[in-house]
Amino acid sequence: MITLEVSLGERSYPIHIGTGLLDQTELFRPHVRGQHAVIVTNETVGPLYAARVQASLAALGKTVRTVTLPDGEAFKQWETLNLIFDALLSAGADRKTTLIALGGGVVGDMTGFAAACYMRGVPFVQVPTTLLSQVDSSVGGKTGINHPLGKNMIGAFHQPNAVIADIDTLRTLPERELAAGLAEVIKHGAMADAEYFGWIERNIRALHACDPDIMALAVKRSCEIKAAVVAQDEREGGLRAMLNFGHTFGHAIEAGMGYGEWLHGEAVGCGMVMAADLSHRLGFIDIETRARVVQLIRAAMLPVVAPELGTDRYIELMKVDKKAEAGSIKFILLRKLGEAFITTVPDPDLRATLQHAVLRPPTEAPVA
């Protein structure tokens, strides 16, 4: 088992990465201090893993209740969130009740948000079961739900007591879900670590095959990058925004297509292609760097051609973004591979990237 730490003073917490962690009762002991625990999962993950987590908690003498949510990004909204509150209130949960988020990014975000709100804050533990959630969404304390007008616009910062990432759970992921998680792995290399990006290029086949040793290294390095950023900028005052490389375009795709049509990682992957194109168009990266990003996204089996929403519609959707200020869209671009920065961009260049992204697959030829 590998253990990292998110350093946030009194709110610091460990990230445990390894195999067979769901059954390690003692791993849960220091993080579930009250008598009662509530596992929040979904219809897909629950039948696979809820009984094992419940057994680990019961072995500690805890009273355990399970709440099962519908599965999918389309359910990341108020009505589903209230199912968690209904269960907590009907069970008489108190401030020492610990919530356990067992699932992917949607379950983690909603459980964390419920924990932040219930009785103005109760503890929770992240037990991510998808690659995307293990390398990204479970770390850092961002919680929330979607709104029809914008993704993750309603939420709170609420750090977990711990993250327990069992690599074994990735073996049951459908191919599409695994590929979606690889988008966030690639993102960390592109925006923060060129050497890691190169490692991903060399190991993309092993990652697709879910090789446990290679996958553990990817989860470890991605979590190291994110933990370091969160420790410096917990509430996204500046540096943490760099972790949104590809997300401004990606969130627009998700909202424009309807939540759930494209997986989050698919939209982020295509969004990184668009961000790389814009970075090249503005003269920050060369054509070879742009091509490497596109080729790796393609090798990860992620879409590299954006859906046709209309240029004006894309811009309208991107203005409903947490980074936007006074209607001005902020983009995370690449100054070079492994170094991201935040900026506004000229409207003609943005429109050119949007038009280019939906017309044809990106090529190695210089953009017009």
Side-chain angles (χ1 to χ4, degrees), residues 13-335:
Y13 56 91
I15 305 169
H16 301 298
I17 303 162
T19 57
L21 302 191
L22 298 187
D23 305 312
Q24 292 191 23
T25 297
E26 290 305 312
L27 201 57
F28 288 88
R29 185 183 297 277
H31 312 303
V32 184
R33 301 185 183 96
Q35 177 60 36
H36 302 282
V38 176
I39 298 170
V40 181
T41 187
N42 65 33
E43 296 165 340
T44 302
V45 175
L48 295 171
Y49 302 118
R52 289 171 60 185
V53 176
Q54 186 165 359
S56 291
L57 295 170
L60 296 173
K62 307 298 180 181
T63 302
V64 187
R65 179 178 180 136
T66 299
V67 180
T68 303
L69 308 179
D71 187 12
E73 188 80 27
F75 297 102
K76 190 177 168 182
Q77 31 87 337
W78 283 115
E79 185 177 348
T80 310
L81 184 69
N82 271 326
L83 296 177
I84 305 175
F85 292 135
D86 290 346
L88 293 173
L89 288 164
S90 64
D94 57 27
R95 281 200 172 98
K96 292 185 178 180
T97 299
T98 301
L99 274 59
I100 311 292
L102 176 66
V106 171
V107 167
D109 282 6
M110 296 190 70
T111 305
F113 190 27
C117 296
Y118 187 72
M119 300 188 79
R120 298 184 176 87
V122 296
F124 84 111
V125 174
Q126 287 274 18
V127 185
T129 61
T130 66
L131 181 57
L132 188 148
S133 59
Q134 289 190 3
V135 301
D136 191 68
S137 62
S138 66
V139 178
K142 275 189 179 182
T143 73
I145 58 173
N146 297 330
H147 186 279
L149 298 179
K151 183 178 171 69
N152 292 331
M153 294 296 287
I154 302 165
F157 287 97
H158 190 59
Q159 300 294 343
N161 282 16
V163 178
I164 299 173
D166 191 330
I167 301 298
D168 285 342
T169 63
L170 303 182
R171 294 177 183 173
T172 56
L173 280 183
E175 236 178 73
R176 188 182 174 196
E177 291 277 0
L178 185 66
L182 289 173
E184 297 287 357
V185 173
I186 294 167
K187 176 200 75 175
H188 287 123
M191 54 74 59
D193 187 343
E195 185 177 337
Y196 180 39
F197 188 92
W199 180 88
I200 299 165
E201 288 177 313
R202 295 188 299 275
N203 289 281
I204 190 65
R205 288 188 179 181
L207 288 165
H208 257 299
C210 211
D211 179 287
D213 294 330
I214 295 296
M215 194 61 81
L217 289 173
V219 175
K220 173 181 178 289
R221 183 61 190 135
S222 284
C223 285
E224 284 175 343
I225 289 170
K226 183 156 190 182
V229 172
V230 170
Q232 296 175 71
D233 181 18
E234 180 183 2
R235 293 178 175 264
E236 204 168 75
L239 177 63
R240 187 167 177 175
M242 302 304 112
L243 292 166
N244 288 315
F245 176 61
H247 285 61
T248 305
F249 290 111
H251 286 171
I253 291 172
E254 288 184 270
M257 293 295 289
Y259 296 119
E261 283 297 313
W262 281 48
L263 297 178
H264 176 66
E266 292 172 334
V268 168
C270 191
M272 286 190 283
V273 168
M274 298 163 82
D277 178 85
L278 188 54
S279 300
H280 172 61
R281 196 176 292 276
L282 295 173
F284 295 112
I285 62 173
D286 57 27
I287 189 64
E288 289 78 15
T289 300
R290 175 180 172 272
R292 285 180 69 186
V293 173
V294 174
Q295 288 163 4
L296 187 52
I297 296 295
R298 185 182 284 117
M301 307 298 181
L302 292 164
V304 295
V305 180
E308 175 60 90
L309 302 178
T311 301
D312 289 338
R313 177 60 173 154
Y314 265 108
I315 292 173
E316 176 188 2
L317 289 166
M318 288 188 290
K319 285 182 177 179
V320 186
D321 182 270
K322 298 185 296 297
K323 298 182 296 301
E325 295 177 7
S328 178
I329 307 169
K330 298 289 185 72
F331 291 91
I332 311 304
L333 300 183
L334 296 180
R335 200 180 306 279

